[in-house]
Amino acid sequence: MNDEKTYALKSKRIKWFENPLISEDKVYWKPKRAIWFWLAVLSFAAAFGVNVFIAPLQETQILPYRIFLASAVFLLLSLHAAALRNPFLRAKLYHYCQFIFALGIFLSVWDLLTDKTSVLPVPYFPSAASVLQVMVLDHALILKSALYSLRLFFAGFLTGIVLGVSSGILIGWARQWDYWLSPIIKVSGIIPPVVWIPLALSILPGSFSTGVFLIFAASWFPVASMTANGISSTPKKYFEAAQTFGAQKKYLLFKVAVPHAMPNIFMGILTAAAFSFTTLIVSEMIGAKAGLGFYINWAKAWGAYSKMYAAIVIIALEFSVILLIIGIFRRRVLRWQKGIVK
Amino acid sequence: MTEVLIDIKNVNRIYRDDAGHKIYALRNVNLQILRGEIISFIGPSGCGKTTLLRLLAGLDKPQSGSLSIEGKIIDKPHFERGFIFQQPALFPWNTVEENISAPLKARKIYAENKHKAARYISMMGLAGFEKSYPHELSGGMAQRAAIARALLSEPKVLLLDEPLGALDAFKRSELQNNLIEIWQKTKTTMALVTHDVDEAVYLSSRIAVMTSRPGKISKIINVELGQNRDRNDDGFIALRKEILKELRLASISPQPEYNI
């Protein structure tokens, strides 16, 4: 593999994309022509041009938006400069260029339909520039809300994972626990956690603890049931093999059953994360006095739709980062699966 | 060479089928396994050879009779009786090295015995694959790793349940030679379940021919061919014939326990 790579890199006789590692790549398969890259640059330049040369109708501070577009163009060009010496980076960059091109067109059209002509109904569809403007002007409150949501998320989610994994292990391992806990999990699993909001708000001391409880309720079920499933489906041969080399109960549980359940546990955690995101935002919209869910509701009440969109963008970013972190953990723990599972 | 290591006395292992009828997987089995020998169990499927091996491992219990090793009753698995499964039961989440040293960790004696793992890794020709995961190994290598894992505990007896059954002919004869090398180096007692007559004659000092329904040992054949056996040797061929005849006799006269 590596020899092939260096050979192809050193060889002057073939074009950079004729290297079989690049031309036969299944992941970055889009055309390897420079034309799409330049069109992508052009489309962002066009978005910039639209913003500069066509007079706006709305009162928007356009500087952040222009800085954003200019830095996008700058980033593309510098990536290209770096990619000229690295064919693999170049293949990756060119792969995404059609999409980046479409994005530039989308931004131009969006600008035209909002700020420049007000074709789209005014408060509900703000321009990209005004969303960015809000992010810059209101950054203190948005950041505070984002951190608050993050704190609430992790408090509930980690409780859910810890209790979910441990109860899942008990259920999968010991039939007494299975007998008593399984029905509870089955019933509580089908009840959407948000139904507890009215009750939780009146019983629990504050909106934070309510949120923690709801997110815990959302994440406990998938983690516990997937963990239990992974533990109880451990093939007998692994236990028998371990017993014949001298393993005791504790080893069988923690070094055989739990590692076997790990892929399932992570599946449970990812499902729990998705449930928890919804629950987090809903609980903040209803009960809380802080957080991104609250911010969205509050912005809507004031008719500040740009702020709402800004918050949505931040939510998307925040949740992607959380999923990214879970993904990194997962790849580390399950690196033995590389080559077994695609 | 004639010291008794394992004593199997009047062992009965009975299953019940769906209709509640008794099926004797093993009926009144008596056998003494000698220290340092390689004994093979051969017979048609359902003759209880694997059941007998699982009883020896302590993975299963007889309804009556007893199995003992050095006078101690076998009632649960112990690392002094290593077991090799037909499919190498390596942990897919552990590397080859972690798999082979797992017995040390399970017994919490890893720190002072780390060097042993390396010794068995090189003895089984797995050097260079320490960091590989089981799915990256060929079937033969995976089985060698499983054997290394069992040998690491320096067992008094190695129980092999059709360990080479899943391998192709070339890998099988390679591993048969590996087993002989191990035996020559360690003099570990081995009990081998197989359905391959040649394998039994090639490896064993004694062969127990088993019959089914009820499962029992019908004949014990001493193999006196010495070391470096040749599969085309007259003595080898004669033994093969004798065993095949014994197996045919067993299958021509089945004794139905019940009629449907």
Side-chain angles (χ1 to χ4, degrees):
Chain A
M1 197 81 169
N2 237 341
D3 284 347
E4 210 177 331
K5 197 167 159 181
T6 43
Y7 166 76
L9 282 175
K10 280 177 186 164
S11 169
K12 297 269 186 270
R13 277 168 295 141
I14 59 167
K15 290 202 177 81
W16 68 274
F17 52 81
E18 281 166 354
N19 177 349
L21 280 180
I22 289 174
S23 62
E24 286 161 27
D25 192 354
K26 298 275 188 295
V27 185
Y28 305 110
W29 52 273
K30 275 284 181 181
K32 309 288 182 285
R33 301 271 172 235
I35 177 83
W36 283 108
F37 171 77
W38 294 112
L39 281 174
V41 172
L42 219 62
S43 73
F44 267 77
F48 193 87
V50 166
N51 194 262
V52 172
F53 295 112
I54 300 175
L57 293 180
Q58 298 165 7
E59 272 182 40
T60 314
Q61 195 190 339
I62 33 61
L63 190 62
Y65 181 59
R66 286 186 187 168
I67 291 175
F68 164 73
L69 289 177
S71 35
V73 171
F74 178 74
L75 186 70
L76 275 176
L77 290 175
S78 33
L79 271 175
H80 194 252
L84 286 180
R85 257 167 280 120
N86 182 346
F88 295 95
L89 178 63
R90 195 161 161 186
K92 232 186 235 187
L93 179 66
Y94 282 14
H95 176 78
Y96 289 113
C97 274
Q98 290 186 351
F99 192 84
I100 297 170
F101 167 74
L103 205 63
I105 300 294
F106 173 76
L107 286 174
S108 312
V109 174
W110 185 6
D111 202 9
L112 281 171
L113 293 181
T114 53
D115 201 10
K116 306 302 177 200
T117 57
S118 295
V119 169
L120 292 174
V122 166
Y124 310 112
F125 295 98
S127 64
S130 75
V131 174
L132 267 176
Q133 173 201 356
V134 159
M135 278 190 203
V136 171
L137 292 180
D138 213 11
H139 69 273
L141 186 55
I142 291 182
L143 190 69
K144 213 179 120 194
S145 305
L147 288 176
Y148 184 90
S149 293
L150 208 62
R151 190 170 67 123
L152 181 57
F153 176 81
F154 275 110
F157 189 58
L158 292 181
T159 322
I161 289 178
V162 170
L163 290 178
V165 168
S166 40
S167 56
I169 288 175
L170 289 172
I171 293 167
W173 189 248
R175 56 183 187 177
Q176 277 292 349
W177 285 96
D178 180 36
Y179 179 85
W180 292 106
L181 276 186
S182 276
I184 299 175
I185 284 205
K186 273 182 194 131
V187 172
S188 71
I190 49 172
I191 301 172
V194 287
V195 303
W196 303 113
I197 289 181
L199 184 69
L201 273 176
S202 21
I203 293 181
L204 293 169
S207 60
F208 185 77
S209 49
T210 306
V212 170
F213 168 74
L214 292 173
I215 294 165
F216 155 73
S219 48
W220 180 63
F221 161 71
V223 175
S225 61
M226 289 304 287
T227 304
N229 189 272
I231 297 277
S232 61
S233 67
T234 310
K236 212 170 98 191
K237 64 172 181 179
Y238 294 141
F239 292 131
E240 291 188 336
Q243 282 174 303
T244 57
F245 66 60
Q248 304 300 317
K249 265 261 158 69
K250 204 173 134 195
Y251 187 94
L252 297 182
L253 176 55
F254 291 107
K255 299 288 175 177
V256 182
V258 171
H260 177 267
M262 270 303 168
N264 278 48
I265 292 175
F266 271 100
M267 233 141 64
I269 288 176
L270 284 172
T271 317
F275 281 3
S276 301
F277 291 152
T278 315
T279 313
L280 169 76
I281 298 302
V282 171
S283 74
E284 280 182 347
M285 279 181 167
I286 293 177
K289 293 281 171 289
L292 289 167
F294 162 76
Y295 186 89
I296 289 179
N297 241 6
W298 173 79
K300 192 209 80 183
W302 286 91
Y305 285 90
S306 319
K307 288 188 175 179
M308 202 188 80
Y309 284 102
I312 291 173
V313 171
I314 298 297
I315 287 171
L317 286 175
E318 191 166 307
F319 291 174
S320 317
V321 170
I322 290 169
L323 287 180
L324 200 74
I325 293 169
I326 297 174
I328 290 170
F329 270 112
R330 181 184 168 164
R331 261 195 304 283
R332 267 204 67 77
V333 175
L334 301 183
R335 63 183 179 280
W336 58 271
Q337 277 200 323
K338 213 178 145 198
I340 304 179
V341 190
K342 210 146 163 67
Chain B
M1 260 300 273
T2 50
E3 189 194 343
V4 174
L5 177 68
I6 292 173
D7 200 2
I8 302 168
K9 275 189 206 150
N10 293 321
V11 162
N12 284 291
R13 181 70 181 88
I14 303 153
Y15 294 105
R16 282 185 187 276
D17 66 5
D18 295 340
H21 296 292
K22 278 185 179 179
I23 294 173
Y24 280 89
L26 292 171
R27 185 170 204 172
N28 289 332
V29 172
N30 285 285
L31 179 72
Q32 293 183 326
I33 296 176
L34 309 176
R35 190 186 295 279
E37 76 169 335
I38 301 182
I39 184 165
S40 289
F41 298 93
I42 195 161
S45 58
C47 70
K49 52 192 195 294
T50 292
T51 305
L52 184 57
L53 210 65
R54 289 176 61 83
L55 290 172
L56 287 170
L59 291 170
D60 196 0
K61 282 179 190 167
Q63 265 86 4
S64 64
S66 69
L67 304 97
S68 58
I69 179 163
E70 293 180 335
K72 287 174 297 183
I73 296 290
I74 295 170
D75 57 356
K76 59 176 187 293
H78 192 280
F79 59 83
E80 68 180 20
R81 284 168 273 123
F83 199 97
I84 306 295
F85 297 82
Q86 182 171 12
Q87 302 291 337
L90 298 170
F91 301 143
W93 48 87
N94 282 350
T95 61
V96 168
E97 193 175 28
E98 288 164 344
N99 261 297
I100 292 176
S101 52
L104 300 174
K105 284 176 187 153
R107 287 162 55 202
K108 301 195 179 67
I109 52 165
Y110 179 64
E112 59 270 34
N113 290 286
K114 241 188 235 174
H115 59 281
K116 272 193 193 168
R119 203 171 75 215
Y120 284 101
I121 286 170
S122 66
M123 180 173 155
M124 294 309 292
L126 293 161
F129 291 90
E130 291 91 341
K131 303 282 176 235
S132 303
Y133 285 99
H135 72 267
E136 295 167 321
L137 303 180
S138 67
M141 286 179 80
Q143 198 56 285
R144 289 211 298 271
I147 294 171
R149 177 170 73 178
L151 288 174
L152 192 65
S153 307
E154 289 162 3
K156 288 177 180 150
V157 59
L158 196 58
L159 307 165
L160 302 118
D161 184 10
E162 294 189 35
L164 316 180
L167 304 178
D168 64 54
F170 297 108
K171 286 272 157 48
R172 197 180 302 170
S173 77
E174 191 187 320
L175 251 95
Q176 285 166 357
N177 291 329
N178 281 144
L179 286 175
I180 291 176
E181 279 164 35
I182 292 165
W183 182 79
Q184 283 168 345
K185 273 185 209 158
T186 62
K187 295 290 174 206
T188 307
T189 311
M190 295 189 195
L192 171 76
V193 161
T194 181
H195 54 241
D196 180 344
V197 178
D198 274 29
E199 183 171 288
V201 180
Y202 191 67
L203 294 176
S204 323
S205 49
R206 285 195 299 160
I207 298 170
V209 180
M210 297 183 73
T211 54
S212 56
R213 289 171 188 275
K216 60 174 197 277
I217 295 173
S218 69
K219 192 170 187 185
I220 292 178
I221 295 165
N222 287 313
V223 183
E224 276 144 7
L225 294 173
Q227 292 185 4
N228 300 324
R229 293 174 189 179
D230 180 351
R231 287 183 173 85
N232 296 315
D233 180 84
D234 288 343
F236 198 105
I237 294 168
L239 260 177
R240 182 197 291 150
K241 273 187 187 160
E242 187 185 344
I243 294 165
L244 284 173
K245 194 177 131 208
E246 189 64 36
L247 286 171
R248 255 196 305 277
L249 283 178
S251 62
I252 289 168
S253 55
Q255 298 162 346
E257 287 266 285
Y258 56 89
N259 294 309
I260 298 167

